[in-house]
Amino acid sequence: GNIRIAGRNCSKSIGKLLNEYKVPDRKKGETLIISDSCGPLAVLLYAVSERVKIDSKTKSILLIKKSEESLYA
């Protein structure tokens, strides 16, 4: 799906966004994308959607931390 990028007044496909940031093909499958029923909310490390950006009306923030530990160990 496309993401409307906060602060950039544009919408891009996830693939084009990752190409813009020169993410190697081998890393693209590891990129974490958070979505809801309306589409992508964030492409972690690269973009957040205009509809969930932090602004003066923000009341809460979801903090996501990446762990290097294996979930299957």
Side-chain angles (χ1 to χ4, degrees):
N2 285 355
I3 184 168
R4 183 145 185 86
I5 303 166
R8 291 189 50 190
N9 198 27
C10 70
S11 184
K12 288 192 178 215
S13 71
I14 303 296
K16 286 185 179 182
L17 178 71
L18 295 177
N19 286 340
E20 178 181 311
Y21 282 98
K22 298 180 177 27
V23 177
D25 288 341
R26 68 181 187 285
K27 292 286 191 181
K28 288 180 181 177
E30 300 172 11
T31 303
L32 185 58
I33 300 167
I34 300 173
S35 300
D36 66 7
S37 60
C38 295
L41 299 172
V43 180
L44 292 192
L45 302 178
Y46 303 105
V48 67
S49 172
E50 183 71 31
R51 63 191 175 95
V52 296
K53 72 178 181 182
I54 297 171
D55 63 17
S56 62
K57 297 175 187 173
T58 300
K59 294 183 180 178
S60 60
I61 297 171
L62 175 64
L63 176 64
I64 300 171
K65 291 184 178 183
K66 181 181 176 189
S67 171
E68 294 301 321
E69 293 180 33
S70 171
L71 297 175
Y72 307 104

